[in-house]
Amino acid sequence: MITYIDKIGRLLTANIQYLIGVLLMVYLSIRATILDQHQGLRTIIGVVSAQIYFTGWQAIPLISVLALASGSITILQSSSELSLLGGSEMIGNLLVVIMVREIGPLLTALVVVARSGSAVATEVGNMRANREIEALESIGINPLSFIVFPRIIGGVISVICLCFYFVVIALIGGFFLTRIIDEMPLNFYLDSLVQALTVEDFFLFLIKTGFSGTIIFSISCYQGLAVKRSHHEVPQVTTKAVVDSIIVVTLFNMSVTVLFYLEQLMMLGGV
Amino acid sequence: MSVLVKSLHFEKLTFHYEGQEPLLKNVDFEFPISKRGVQDNAAACRALDKRGTASSQQARVVVIRGAQGAGSSTVMQILAGLQTPTLGSYLINGVPVENMSFEEFLPFRLRMGYGFDTGGLLSNRTLFENLVLPLNYHKMYSPQEAEKRVLALMKRFQLINFKDLRVAYVSASLRKMTVLIRSIIMDPEILFLDDPNIRISKEAQQMYAELLRELINNGTLHTIFIASFEESFFSYFDYTTIYLEDRQLFNTERSRQKIIAISQ
């Protein structure tokens, strides 16, 4: 029994230490960026835009395919089921719940973890092993403000934009794709969507995508910087960055959803 | 420009890499650095030049020697603030470095140059971009002046044809030369050179030694620390030797014979 308690305690301590480490790195990178008098806005914008290009722009083909596929499948399935139940006008509500609130943010985050989180962890890890981080320090450039901060900002912007793109393509592109087999009028479909969208959806979307981006790029940079001196550590930290990012992002998305519906239930007097 | 770094001191300093035996244990050591003001130094150099004597004698060249793997590179890294002591203190001008934030240490850092033994160049940038980055970042010169300065140095060291190539696309000797040039690009007053002789030819070493002499004559560079096993580079200068043995630093010649025997 004591062994189990001991194991749980160790696991908990290790995770808390990990979380504190990541949060401390984020705090220090913000602090370094504010305090760094030499790093101009131009330098930051340069790295941020490169990050947006790699994370956002280059992911568009993959996101397009996923959005079209998931959008058309969801529209097709829900419209046929709802017609059978006589609730076709509810299609907007169903799609907003599925696409805008849940699938869009989560699927986009998972794509970004796989494509860019792993790339950032590898890049930073290799920089550590090649002594590039040390080199930056030796010339008076703080790696936290030069490498970490712009990557987090670029990552957050990319995830928000990619997710918005995903939702638009899934809802609009998916609709046109389903018209091949299903004859739903466009006006009816758009009206249903517009009526279903609320301010809460907008905030939920921003919270989920914004924090997912922060989580992915903070963990990836943290793991990359955790490389000590050897190249053989790079694949290990990359795998850890991907696994940790997926777990934390999924748990985060799930928690936000639970809290959101709990609040809705409380407002309705259900809890 | 006044001298910023006036003393470097290890106080009961211990250092070890994670999971390894200590490389330095409880070391108390005052490093010899040039105590002259820059003005005096430059004047003395000019006087010596008139007599045709090597002007480098007015700067302090300190060679850190030890058996292979003893940790002389680590001593350099600690001195340059790139490694933090595991225990004890490293004091610059009497102030412990380990208590300083990156921003607090920055004024010292900008007066120090560091030449890495291996690696140390940004792989996603060209050789030219690697050299111009510190000058543009710290806005030490206008972008045009910085470019002119870097191009002149690249031309002098025959790197100009490779200036637009990324680090991975040039030979190890060109990479090493770029690292050595970057170490002096910000006109440091203290220079740390970790194995400056490896991977570069005798001619290149001589050219670099000439450049260092010019910087000493200009009055900017006043102390050079060299961690090296071979004499090929530091024999260009008059130097003081510090020995690293049994995890301790010594000023005396106590262990010189032993180290020479190992090197042979």
Side-chain angles (χ1 to χ4, degrees):
Chain A
M1 184 67 182
I2 290 167
T3 322
Y4 284 117
I5 294 170
D6 188 43
K7 273 183 184 172
I8 292 166
R10 279 174 198 276
L11 192 72
L12 210 64
T13 315
N15 281 316
I16 291 169
Q17 271 180 347
Y18 183 47
L19 181 71
I20 291 171
V22 175
L23 289 176
L24 193 65
M25 183 202 69
V26 175
Y27 162 72
L28 288 174
S29 68
I30 295 168
R31 182 181 176 273
T33 310
I34 294 166
L35 291 180
D36 195 340
Q37 292 164 353
H38 299 101
Q39 185 174 3
L41 202 62
R42 214 175 129 191
T43 317
I44 299 175
I45 289 172
V47 186
V48 168
S49 47
Q51 193 60 51
I52 292 171
Y53 175 76
F54 291 119
T55 307
W57 183 254
Q58 290 195 335
I60 281 180
L62 178 60
I63 287 287
S64 305
V65 173
L66 285 173
L68 274 175
S70 55
S72 54
I73 289 166
T74 316
I75 293 167
L76 205 63
Q77 291 282 10
S78 46
S79 68
S80 59
E81 294 298 321
L82 286 171
S83 320
L84 284 173
L85 295 165
S88 300
E89 64 278 3
M90 292 299 287
I91 191 155
N93 294 63
L94 197 63
L95 286 176
V96 165
V97 168
I98 295 173
M99 286 298 157
V100 182
R101 290 185 194 168
E102 308 302 336
I103 301 292
L106 188 61
L107 211 55
T108 310
L110 294 181
V111 167
V112 171
V113 170
R115 272 194 82 258
S116 309
S118 56
V120 166
T122 310
E123 184 196 12
V124 178
N126 276 325
M127 285 181 85
R128 188 63 135 181
N130 289 333
R131 304 180 74 185
E132 293 176 44
I133 304 283
E134 243 180 289
L136 285 172
E137 286 178 6
S138 79
I139 54 174
I141 298 177
N142 193 335
L144 291 176
S145 62
F146 191 73
I147 292 172
V148 177
F149 182 76
R151 274 167 182 73
I152 295 175
I153 295 297
V156 170
I157 295 169
S158 303
V159 174
I160 293 172
C161 296
L162 266 185
C163 191
F164 179 75
Y165 175 80
F166 178 97
V167 170
V168 171
I169 295 294
L171 296 179
I172 308 298
F175 171 78
F176 284 110
L177 213 65
T178 54
R179 286 199 86 178
I180 302 164
I181 13 180
D182 191 18
E183 274 299 319
M184 191 194 301
L186 180 63
N187 282 346
F188 167 78
Y189 175 73
L190 286 179
D191 276 352
S192 175
L193 272 183
V194 170
Q195 278 174 17
L197 277 168
T198 59
V199 185
E200 282 87 3
D201 294 320
F202 174 74
F203 283 117
L204 204 67
F205 174 87
L206 270 188
I207 289 169
K208 281 192 172 182
T209 50
F211 277 95
S212 292
T214 312
I215 290 166
I216 296 163
F217 288 90
S218 304
I219 289 177
S220 303
C221 288
Y222 182 78
Q223 287 298 341
L225 289 173
V227 169
K228 288 182 181 76
R229 288 192 290 173
S230 169
H231 284 280
H232 89 275
E233 297 167 47
V234 177
Q236 294 170 4
V237 299
T238 305
T239 309
K240 192 155 169 46
V242 170
V243 172
D244 290 355
S245 298
I246 290 175
I247 292 172
V248 179
V249 160
T250 311
L251 284 176
F252 174 77
N253 275 260
M254 211 171 74
S255 311
V256 172
T257 302
V258 168
L259 287 173
F260 179 76
Y261 285 104
L262 212 61
E263 198 208 346
Q264 299 267 304
L265 281 175
M266 281 167 83
M267 279 165 69
L268 292 168
V271 179
Chain B
M1 193 162 59
S2 63
V3 176
L4 188 68
V5 182
K6 294 182 176 105
S7 72
L8 303 172
H9 184 83
F10 281 0
E11 198 177 78
K12 298 200 185 312
L13 185 142
T14 298
F15 181 87
H16 65 82
Y17 290 105
E18 204 180 299
Q20 291 181 17
E21 286 292 302
L23 289 169
L24 300 163
K25 201 168 182 183
N26 219 12
V27 178
D28 266 313
F29 198 82
E30 176 80 42
F31 286 86
I33 63 169
S34 177
K35 301 286 181 189
R36 290 184 190 90
V38 173
Q39 294 297 322
D40 297 343
N41 192 4
C45 287
R46 278 194 295 276
L48 275 165
D49 279 347
K50 280 176 191 165
R51 296 203 306 270
T53 317
S55 55
S56 63
Q57 289 178 9
Q58 289 310 303
R60 197 91 193 231
V61 178
V62 183
V63 177
I64 300 172
R65 302 188 80 178
Q68 276 180 345
S72 43
S73 295
T74 306
V75 172
M76 301 276 279
Q77 286 168 19
I78 297 170
L79 284 171
L82 299 174
Q83 290 283 2
T84 316
T86 313
L87 287 170
S89 269
Y90 163 42
L91 310 161
I92 295 185
N93 300 347
V95 183
V97 168
E98 58 276 9
N99 295 341
M100 291 184 195
S101 65
F102 190 91
E103 292 76 25
E104 285 167 337
F105 188 65
L106 191 61
F108 297 113
R109 181 105 62 197
L110 294 179
R111 299 285 185 95
M112 294 173 174
Y114 195 94
F116 289 84
D117 52 348
T118 54
L121 289 175
L122 302 181
S123 54
N124 61 353
R125 287 172 191 256
T126 64
L127 297 188
F128 172 78
E129 286 166 346
N130 264 285
L131 290 174
V132 87
L133 175 69
L135 299 178
N136 284 341
Y137 190 90
H138 297 291
K139 300 179 180 70
M140 300 184 91
Y141 298 90
S142 70
Q144 294 78 20
E145 281 173 332
E147 187 179 330
K148 206 172 146 188
R149 180 177 158 82
V150 169
L151 289 177
L153 280 165
M154 291 189 98
K155 201 169 175 182
R156 179 172 174 172
F157 287 91
Q158 290 146 26
L159 294 171
I160 201 80
N161 294 336
F162 310 95
K163 76 180 182 70
D164 296 323
L165 293 179
R166 286 192 176 178
V167 175
Y169 296 94
V170 298
S171 67
S173 60
L174 294 176
R175 289 201 288 267
K176 179 73 181 184
M177 206 60 244
T178 310
V179 164
L180 290 176
I181 295 171
R182 194 187 56 195
S183 68
I184 54 90
I185 203 87
M186 290 198 287
D187 294 326
E189 61 180 55
I190 295 192
L191 183 61
F192 299 98
L193 298 173
D194 193 358
D195 267 327
N197 46 297
I198 56 163
R199 294 196 182 94
I200 56 168
S201 65
K202 279 262 179 205
E203 292 73 32
Q205 286 179 39
Q206 205 166 356
M207 280 166 73
Y208 187 64
E210 278 303 317
L211 176 68
L212 295 186
R213 284 203 188 93
E214 283 171 28
L215 292 173
I216 292 162
N217 287 344
N218 289 344
T220 46
L221 184 60
H222 70 70
T223 306
I224 306 171
F225 284 93
I226 302 170
S228 185
F229 206 66
E230 289 176 31
E231 286 191 22
S232 60
F233 184 75
F234 56 74
S235 59
Y236 292 113
F237 306 93
D238 286 339
Y239 58 89
T240 312
T241 309
I242 294 171
Y243 295 98
L244 173 59
E245 193 197 338
D246 294 335
R247 300 163 193 177
Q248 292 290 323
L249 291 164
F250 302 100
N251 258 327
T252 61
E253 300 241 334
R254 188 187 107 139
S255 50
R256 194 172 179 203
Q257 292 305 321
K258 192 175 173 181
I259 286 169
I260 289 171
I262 293 166
S263 68
Q264 284 166 350

